[in-house]
Amino acid sequence: MLRRHLSDIPAATRTAIQRWIETGRVTVDNMPVRRVAARVAVGAVMAVRLPDLPAARAMQAEDMPLTILYEDAHLLIVDKPAGLVAHPSRGYPSGTLMNGLLALARHWPAPLRPSLLTRLDRQTSGLVVVAKSAAAHAALQRTLRAGSSKKEYLAVVHGRVPVTHGDIDLRLRRDPGDRRRVVASAIVGEISLTRVSRVARTKAGAGADLSLLRCELVTGRTHQIRVHLAARGWPIVGDEVYGRVQRRGRSTEMMRSLRAFPRQALHAWRVAFVHPVTGCLLTVQAPLPSDLHDLLDLTRLLPAWQKVPGPDHPPAQSRARAPR
């Protein structure tokens, strides 16, 4: 929880926060907390005494085209393209979604400022929820953690998935040998749950064994869907980190296209939650990006997807975008 509240401080990594807790730099109601797993009561006041940190370069506003699918006085929801980094980091100091949001926020009344509620990997496309104020950020955090909220993804995976519905509840933790990776375990790590439903799969002999899945994030761990699916033997097409499949002896046009697909075939498709201010159910869907559309067309999975209610083929009662 503390890491989320310090997300704007680059030095506030998970390891650094654990060290601050252990050295007495974190207090709850003016009392030092020495246990990383300590629980904080509702209404308690938490404070962090930050060590001297190197001066960070101020995040710059940068004009860039942004596709906004929903916006009101409290939040907005952006359709992030694959290839765009969500937040500045050591490797990507500029040109990120946050830089573009800061440019958009030039026209917002003070003291509004954008902050990300959800983040996507650089090569994952789709919905990102953005709060416009600290109060909206805190309220939306509570809302998105509620059991009534839903975050759904679309994934194209290797393998003809044999089940129509199922849960993947493997625990996740950082790979001790490579901190950039996450590994799954039945007993070690953070509790993690992904609900999976199969939309379609290729026919036997179609040139490649593939399945189109809808994945609901019940928890939101780093790389959760990618790791969970790979652990079940269904790695996402194009995922170089968690088990991209390169099958020898199969040089069909479909397999050549799969090998050439430039990113993981994962799309944050739909989010639904109760608006923390209006109390109304808000459902927003991101259109299928052109590269995934072409992939589904090539693999003949597109007709099945077109039967799923979405932004290009909405259900009978769809919610209109709120006026800006």
Side-chain angles (χ1 to χ4, degrees), residues 75 77 129 140 143-144 149-150 271-276 280-282:
L75 65 99
I77 300 178
V129 182
L140 282 164
T143 297
L144 292 174
S149 68
K150 276 194 173 186
V271 64
F273 57 89
V274 176
H275 195 293
C280 296
L281 176 63
L282 178 63

Side-chain angles (χ1 to χ4, degrees), residues 193-321:
L193 177 60
T194 304
R195 292 202 170 100
V196 177
S197 61
R198 189 187 71 210
V199 177
R201 57 185 176 179
T202 54
K203 296 180 180 179
D209 294 332
L210 301 169
S211 297
L212 174 61
L213 305 178
R214 287 170 61 179
C215 303
E216 180 188 346
L217 276 180
V218 180
T219 57
R221 312 300 183 196
T222 300
H223 297 179
Q224 178 174 317
I225 292 176
R226 297 167 63 190
V227 178
H228 270 175
L229 294 178
R232 283 288 181 257
W234 313 320
I236 296 176
V237 168
D239 193 336
E240 296 281 2
V241 177
Y242 297 109
R244 181 180 175 123
V245 172
Q246 296 281 359
R247 296 183 178 176
R248 296 181 180 179
R250 304 189 73 177
S251 58
T252 64
E253 177 187 355
M254 189 181 297
M255 286 304 298
R256 288 193 294 271
S257 297
L258 294 176
R259 293 184 183 117
F261 197 72
R263 58 140 173 148
Q264 62 254 17
L266 183 63
H267 180 61
W269 171 56
R270 178 160 63 184
V271 64
F273 57 89
V274 176
H275 195 293
V277 176
T278 67
C280 296
L281 176 63
L282 178 63
T283 301
V284 179
Q285 299 173 151
L288 196 66
S290 59
D291 60 350
L292 279 182
H293 181 280
D294 292 345
L295 180 65
L296 295 185
D297 191 23
L298 172 71
T299 57
R300 298 175 185 155
L301 295 170
L302 188 60
W305 169 249
Q306 289 173 334
K307 295 178 183 178
V308 177
D312 300 320
H313 30 89
Q317 294 180 334
S318 60
R319 294 186 59 85
R321 173 180 169 176

Side-chain angles (χ1 to χ4, degrees), residues 56-70:
R57 193 181 78 171
M59 197 183 306
Q60 300 297 314
E62 300 177 32
D63 290 311
M64 65 177 64
L66 295 176
T67 301
I68 300 174
L69 299 177
Y70 176 88

